[in-house]
Amino acid sequence: MKKPPQDLSQLLHQQGTMPNLAEKAELLLHLDHYVKQVLTGPVTEQLKVANLRQGILVIETTTAAWAARINFQKPKILQLLQAETLPMLTAIEVKVNPSLLMYETKPKAAHNLISENAAAHIEALAEHTEGTLAVKLKRLAALASRSRQS
């Protein structure tokens, strides 16, 4: 007989490596938010707190230019983190990780605007189509008049 699946919250609170990983992930997320509050401007979109090991905070950034800018502010970041959050922090290491560009979290802009010309073609196509496809095409063509009104 198979054991029933365990609830994820139970797994996270048991002994072993899973609770430690969850705790470290929460700490890194908190540190990421804190560092982004300390640093201001466009640099905050180009960095991520990657790790904390042996008293060294590892910050990743997308390019060497951003790494240089962060390196100039390391003493300020280190002093604030030691005073407010992590007294055992000894250093900050900045690494370049170009793959961070792939993980942008900016929401994509909705492109639901339809030109009048495109709406006319879709409407004409709907006239020669039957069933649910015709209904959907007419609704799509109606987006053009809605976008002009707003």
Side-chain angles (χ1 to χ4, degrees):
M1 200 174 198
K2 289 185 178 180
K3 292 183 355 183
Q6 289 184 339
D7 187 41
L8 185 58
S9 62
Q10 288 176 343
L11 288 173
L12 291 177
H13 297 346
Q14 290 178 351
Q15 296 295 324
T17 59
M18 194 66 130
N20 295 338
L21 287 174
E23 187 176 315
K24 187 167 183 177
E26 286 181 30
L27 174 65
L28 291 177
L29 187 62
H30 171 71
L31 290 173
D32 188 62
H33 290 300
Y34 186 82
V35 169
K36 287 179 179 180
Q37 286 177 349
V38 170
L39 297 171
T40 56
V43 71
T44 59
E45 298 172 13
Q46 305 295 324
L47 68 86
K48 178 181 118 180
V49 172
N51 202 359
L52 175 66
R53 63 174 182 263
Q54 300 171 349
I56 301 172
L57 183 69
V58 179
I59 298 175
E60 291 183 341
T61 186
T62 54
T63 65
W66 289 115
R69 290 180 103 173
I70 296 168
N71 279 325
F72 283 125
Q73 297 186 32
K74 271 196 322 191
K76 172 186 161 186
I77 301 168
L78 183 62
Q79 182 184 13
L80 287 171
L81 282 171
Q82 286 173 334
E84 297 181 18
T85 309
L86 290 171
M88 61 18 148
L89 191 64
T90 58
I92 296 176
E93 185 179 329
V94 180
K95 292 188 172 189
V96 177
N97 182 359
S99 66
L100 282 180
L101 288 173
M102 295 180 356
Y103 303 113
E104 282 190 36
T105 58
K106 291 182 182 178
K108 302 280 187 203
H111 298 289
N112 57 357
L113 301 176
I114 297 176
S115 69
E116 291 181 41
N117 190 22
H121 286 293
I122 294 171
E123 187 72 39
L125 181 63
E127 296 298 323
H128 300 291
T129 310
E130 297 177 352
T132 59
L133 179 59
V135 173
K136 290 178 183 179
L137 287 172
K138 287 179 184 177
R139 260 192 281 152
L140 182 62
L143 283 176
S145 63
R146 279 192 230 141
S147 64
R148 282 190 303 261
Q149 291 172 358
S150 20

